[in-house]
Amino acid sequence: MNRLDHRDPLVFDTHELGRRPGSMRKVSRTLEAPADLGIIDVIGVPEKSEIELELRLESVVEGVLVTGTAEVHVEGECVRCLEPVEDDLEVDFQELYYYPESDERHRGRTAGAEDLDEDSEEETYRLEGDFFDLQPVLRDAVVLALPLQPVCQEDCLGLCSECGARLSDDPTHHHDAADPRWAALQGLSAAPGDEGDGIKNSGTREGLAENQEK
């Protein structure tokens, strides 16, 4: 059985609540962000950046109800022009961490429900002794708050398909496209000097014809 690392800043102790329903305490903590907190390769909280947590721990009959707010800084890349995207977010979350014995009773009740499907059953979290791990709850809250397609600005025009220039920097940017119907004729245009040679050759042919007539 995996045990929580009590030194992990995202692991919290509920011992002071004493399993007395109605008891409550508040916790404030500043910590470093864990790895992969966000949408991988899109946008997320940089590892070891600062997270500000404000939690309220309430003892209830089934376990400990955790209500909190996290302030995070996120970084990513615009999906249209690939420019860096940064923002500060405040995310809210609430989760009930069951006492081990309460969780077993909860699972026993729900297992007999006729319409219950194992794939649709909501994930539950349990206390390990007096401790709980906030990381999975925090991760879910942050991911749900992040845009799936971040943009540097709502009206970002993206990149030029021809040269890759950022169109928002020059909205009038364009390329003169040649009519493909004339492309075959471009190779037939006379090279420099060809025209003069043609005139000279033509004159020579006319002179020879005159001599032949004489």
Side-chain angles (χ1 to χ4, degrees):
M1 179 178 178
N2 294 330
R3 303 298 300 177
L4 295 179
D5 183 356
H6 303 165
R7 298 168 298 177
D8 188 326
L10 284 169
V11 171
F12 292 82
D13 188 356
T14 67
H15 177 74
E16 293 183 12
L17 295 177
R19 293 200 177 193
R20 298 184 300 274
S23 60
M24 183 270 290
R25 76 184 188 95
K26 294 183 178 181
V27 179
S28 298
R29 185 174 295 182
T30 301
L31 51 91
E32 292 184 347
D36 301 327
L37 186 57
I39 305 173
I40 298 176
D41 296 330
V42 179
I43 190 170
V45 182
E47 185 176 0
K48 296 186 177 181
S49 64
E50 191 173 273
I51 297 179
E52 296 282 349
L53 282 178
E54 295 288 341
L55 303 180
R56 185 176 72 233
L57 313 181
E58 298 176 83
S59 179
V60 296
V61 174
E62 297 89 352
V64 175
L65 180 65
V66 179
T67 305
T69 299
E71 295 181 4
V72 298
H73 179 74
V74 298
E75 296 179 0
E77 190 176 76
C78 177
V79 296
R80 297 178 188 171
C81 70
L82 308 182
E83 286 291 302
V85 173
E86 296 187 29
D87 198 6
D88 293 316
L89 295 181
E90 182 175 289
V91 297
D92 300 320
F93 50 87
Q94 185 176 72
E95 189 63 55
L96 176 61
Y97 287 82
Y98 286 91
Y99 298 128
E101 61 274 17
S102 297
D103 186 41
E104 292 300 324
R105 290 196 298 267
H106 170 74
R107 291 179 182 274
R109 290 194 302 270
T110 56
E114 295 181 0
D115 298 329
L116 180 64
D117 184 277
E118 291 183 1
D119 294 333
S120 63
E121 183 180 3
E122 293 184 1
E123 183 177 7
T124 59
Y125 296 95
R126 292 187 302 168
L127 293 167
E128 290 192 16
D130 293 321
F131 295 89
F132 69 87
D133 183 6
L134 187 65
Q135 184 167 160
V137 174
L138 177 62
R139 188 180 303 278
D140 288 346
V142 169
V143 169
L144 289 174
L146 293 174
L148 293 177
Q149 294 187 318
V151 291
C152 58
Q153 55 190 46
E154 291 298 326
D155 57 350
C156 176
L157 300 176
L159 300 177
C160 173
S161 59
E162 296 288 333
C163 66
R166 188 169 182 264
L167 297 179
S168 294
D169 295 335
D170 182 11
T172 62
H173 177 87
H174 71 283
H175 295 269
D176 294 327
D179 191 326
R181 292 173 298 179
W182 297 103
L185 301 178
Q186 292 179 354
L188 301 179
S189 61
D194 289 349
E195 184 177 353
D197 293 341
I199 295 174
K200 181 172 63 176
N201 292 337
S202 177
T204 303
R205 287 195 297 270
E206 291 176 358
L208 290 174
E210 291 178 359
N211 291 333
Q212 290 176 354
E213 291 177 358
K214 292 179 180 179

